[in-house]
Amino acid sequence: MSKQFDVLVIGGGPGGYVAAIRASQLGFSAACCESNPYADPKGEPRLGGTCLNVGCIPSKALLHTSHLFEEAGHAFAGQGIKIGTPEIDVPAMKARKDGVVNQLTSGIKGLLKKNKVTFLAGHGSFVAKEGDFWKLKVGEEEVLAKQVIVATGSKARHLPNLPVDNKIVMDNEGALNQESVPQKLAIIGAGVIGLEMGSVWRRVGAEVTILEAMPDFLAVADQDVAKEALKLFTKQGLNIQMGVKIGEIKADDKSVTIAYESKDGQAETLTADRLIVSIGRNPNTDGLNAEAVGLQLDARGFVEVNGHCQTNLPGVWAIGDVVRGPMLAHKASEEGVMVAELMAGQAGHCNFDTIPFVIYTAPEIAWVGKTEQQLKADGVAYKVGKMPFMANGRALGMGEPNGFVKMLACAQTDRILGVHIIGVNASELISEAVVAMEFGAASEDLARICHAHPTLSEAVHEAALACDKRALHF
Ligand code: FAD
Ligand code: NAI
């Protein structure tokens, strides 16, 4: 007899496990299946998806350790702390990162249990529609579910004809698991992974060169922020080359040589000990047997969905990296909650206009809403309020004077349209802007709110005041 559920979620990442928990909280019998190769001590696939196993969490753990190392080597002396020259122990740094990952991934199994979600270890794929149910295979088992949520996530995109061995030529998995510091590290793609991983390995001693195809650095970010970031990252020692055309790449078991054409048309070669390929990610839809049931995919393999994450099939939904929109853990989780609530007849909601973006470099970069270049392109009249951290007492006290907060508000209504931050703890500061925008606040609303002193959040307050040309401290 097949197992039967109201809801089967395929994929146990931040989209899938959150959707399954919320569905169960709303009274559905829910199961979540997962098939990744990151086995736990019981030999079962770990939950948490890309995010917990080989994404957000391990990268932030390494960013933290490498930041402390850099601070110890370069910032402590300036604050009167003498410790001599610090040394990095890469296996210990990696072991700490693995410990954090283990703790969190096993915690998710506990969360499923607590919320009465059945965990099924195995690869999920569609078989057919049978009456009110979808018939699926999970591993070798047959499972029936009234509703299915596809949350199968994404995998690293690779370059054609360049096999990834995760020793010399790496994607995100190898980049996070290096056992030693490469002397020379090449990175293809100056996107989020390139910048975060480039920062980690530069801080601990690698000479890092990043080759990027696009002419403009961080084209998706506000260009004021992108310009400041490029200046600061270059000063830190990241060699970022924009507008390059990658040619032949030769790798053996010791090194890799990349032939490329520079922005000004010069033929160049770069030889490095290791290479990280971070050129975006592809959706995981190839193993779903989508064609057997007619699940519609777009030309790039993403599951086609509407604003409510409904696919073309009744009772089949899709969320997270496997559908359109930014590939972010919190976006996947938001969609998971929305779908579970819609299934329960509630007013599920995901505001795609207020999803925050963060890049965890030093300084951090964070934004929400429209960039200045988008507002110009849309012909929207706007005003700008800007506050540099150089004029913020807390930032100076922390020895973190770089960056600024930039607020964009509608010239007519004063409604906040976008907030862009580059600076220390930007990842935390952006939440205030997200809340303000979610509630449709005007810059005047933030300007009238009392902010504790001395805090970095006063820079957000001052940026709001500056929208009305009445900044008090700049
Ligand atoms: P995933 O997390 O990819 O989970 C999908 C799961 O489904 C996987 O575990 C997979 O094994 C499983 N699966 C696939 N097919 C099947 C099948 N047929 N049957 C059963 N199981 C299946 N985002 C942020 O918001 N902040 C960050 O700081 C951040 N840092 C990142 C750093 C790196 C290095 C990378 C690579 C990504 C990072 N991301 C970050 C992106 C984030 O990891 C993803 O957006 C997020 O994990 C997407 O969640 P998801 O549930 O849609 O998919
Ligand atoms: P990305 O889309 O951020 O950056 C890829 C970069 O590679 C782009 O700048 C692109 O122009 C460039 N590129 C593509 N093909 C190229 C080629 N042939 N030669 C040279 N450059 C080329 O993708 P990335 O960095 O791989 O990350 C994948 C996803 O993971 C991101 O889109 C992001 O959503 C997520 N992520 C999020 C993080 C965060 O929220 N802090 C951290 C890391 C990843």
Side-chain angles (χ1 to χ4, degrees):
M1 168 99 179
S2 310
K3 286 184 178 155
Q4 278 189 18
F5 299 95
D6 293 329
V7 181
L8 173 68
V9 183
I10 312 178
Y17 81 78
V18 166
I21 289 175
R22 188 71 190 119
S24 186
Q25 286 173 349
L26 290 165
F28 294 106
S29 63
C32 179
C33 72
E34 172 57 62
S35 63
N36 68 32
Y38 320 117
D40 69 9
K42 282 198 214 155
E44 285 180 349
R46 286 171 201 259
L47 287 164
T50 303
C51 172
L52 265 65
N53 289 286
V54 286
C56 325
I57 297 300
S59 59
K60 267 78 255 179
L62 294 184
L63 278 156
H64 183 72
T65 305
S66 60
H67 183 63
L68 291 181
F69 177 73
E70 182 152 82
E71 291 283 285
H74 295 101
F76 278 18
Q79 302 204 22
I81 306 169
K82 289 185 186 169
I83 54 160
T85 306
E87 276 177 49
I88 192 75
D89 177 345
V90 176
M93 170 169 90
K94 182 172 170 288
R96 189 193 81 89
K97 179 266 293 177
D98 290 340
V100 174
V101 169
N102 286 344
Q103 188 179 340
L104 285 171
T105 52
S106 56
I108 296 196
K109 286 217 171 121
L111 281 179
L112 290 195
K113 209 167 165 190
K114 183 177 156 215
N115 284 283
K116 300 186 176 57
V117 174
T118 304
F119 170 62
L120 302 172
H123 181 91
S125 59
F126 286 97
V127 177
K129 176 96 177 152
E130 277 192 357
D132 288 344
F133 287 90
W134 287 100
K135 183 155 101 181
L136 295 105
K137 256 182 94 173
V138 175
E140 294 309 312
E141 255 185 309
E142 226 171 61
V143 176
L144 295 172
K146 286 188 191 147
Q147 312 222 40
V148 179
I149 303 175
V150 178
T152 49
S154 64
K155 54 181 170 294
R157 192 155 81 80
H158 293 167
L159 285 164
N161 309 319
L162 183 68
V164 166
D165 62 2
N166 276 325
K167 290 190 173 68
I168 301 293
V169 179
M170 305 175 287
D171 57 20
N172 58 300
E173 303 202 14
L176 291 162
N177 283 307
Q178 299 182 69
E179 297 282 354
S180 62
V181 180
Q183 207 182 349
K184 286 192 176 181
L185 175 65
I187 299 180
I188 300 183
V192 202
I193 294 180
L195 293 172
E196 290 187 355
M197 287 297 100
S199 296
V200 167
W201 295 104
R202 180 200 60 73
R203 290 170 189 168
V204 295
E207 190 186 308
V208 178
T209 305
I210 309 183
L211 302 174
E212 164 62 47
M214 299 299 285
D216 294 325
F217 182 63
L218 280 181
V220 289
D222 188 275
Q223 283 305 289
D224 258 0
V225 168
K227 277 198 192 91
E228 179 74 2
L230 183 59
K231 192 179 82 193
L232 292 170
F233 298 157
T234 304
K235 203 168 148 202
Q236 290 167 1
L238 282 181
N239 175 2
I240 302 172
Q241 299 190 29
M242 305 299 299
V244 309
K245 242 189 232 147
I246 302 292
E248 196 184 3
I249 303 179
K250 286 187 184 149
D252 57 27
D253 57 357
K254 287 198 177 52
S255 66
V256 53
T257 299
I258 303 152
Y260 66 97
E261 193 182 299
S262 71
K263 196 177 189 169
D264 47 16
Q266 297 290 316
E268 306 274 0
T269 55
L270 171 68
T271 298
D273 309 297
R274 290 172 216 158
L275 165 67
I276 299 172
V277 179
S278 49
I279 56 168
R281 297 178 65 81
N282 289 329
N284 283 327
T285 41
D286 33 5
L288 279 172
N289 205 17
E291 54 299 335
V293 287
L295 178 65
Q296 214 165 316
L297 310 181
D298 72 12
R300 292 183 303 154
F302 289 90
V303 181
E304 298 239 37
V305 287
N306 63 16
H308 281 162
C309 291
Q310 286 168 311
T311 70
N312 64 313
L313 301 177
V316 179
W317 312 70
I319 58 170
D321 280 11
V322 79
V323 303
R324 47 76 197 118
M327 289 184 165
L328 296 172
H330 43 283
K331 177 260 192 186
S333 299
E334 281 292 299
E335 288 182 331
V337 169
M338 171 180 76
V339 165
E341 294 181 352
L342 288 170
M343 288 187 319
Q346 298 186 356
H349 159 83
C350 180
N351 185 353
F352 294 97
D353 293 333
T354 55
I355 294 174
F357 293 74
V358 180
I359 306 176
Y360 294 82
T361 42
E364 292 181 344
I365 296 169
W367 73 90
V368 56
K370 300 279 188 193
T371 60
E372 191 168 352
Q373 63 267 22
Q374 281 172 330
L375 293 179
K376 276 190 184 140
D378 295 348
V380 175
Y382 61 90
K383 48 190 181 171
V384 184
K386 215 167 158 184
M387 172 68 178
F389 284 107
M390 181 68 95
N392 174 276
R394 184 71 191 279
L396 290 189
M398 293 166 76
E400 300 279 1
N402 288 320
F404 53 81
V405 178
K406 173 175 171 179
M407 191 173 291
L408 300 164
C410 176
Q412 274 95 39
T413 64
D414 191 32
R415 198 176 166 144
I416 301 168
L417 302 173
V419 177
H420 304 271
I421 307 177
I422 175 166
V424 64
N425 286 3
S427 57
E428 303 292 343
L429 292 175
I430 200 66
S431 290
E432 180 178 5
V434 175
V435 172
M437 287 183 65
E438 186 66 43
F439 286 95
S443 76
E444 174 72 12
D445 295 321
L446 277 193
R448 285 186 181 280
I449 291 172
C450 180
H451 289 69
H453 175 74
T455 59
L456 299 168
S457 72
E458 286 174 292
V460 178
H461 186 217
E462 290 280 344
L465 287 166
C467 282
D468 196 29
K469 297 198 177 4
R470 56 189 181 100
L472 294 166
H473 294 92
F474 184 64

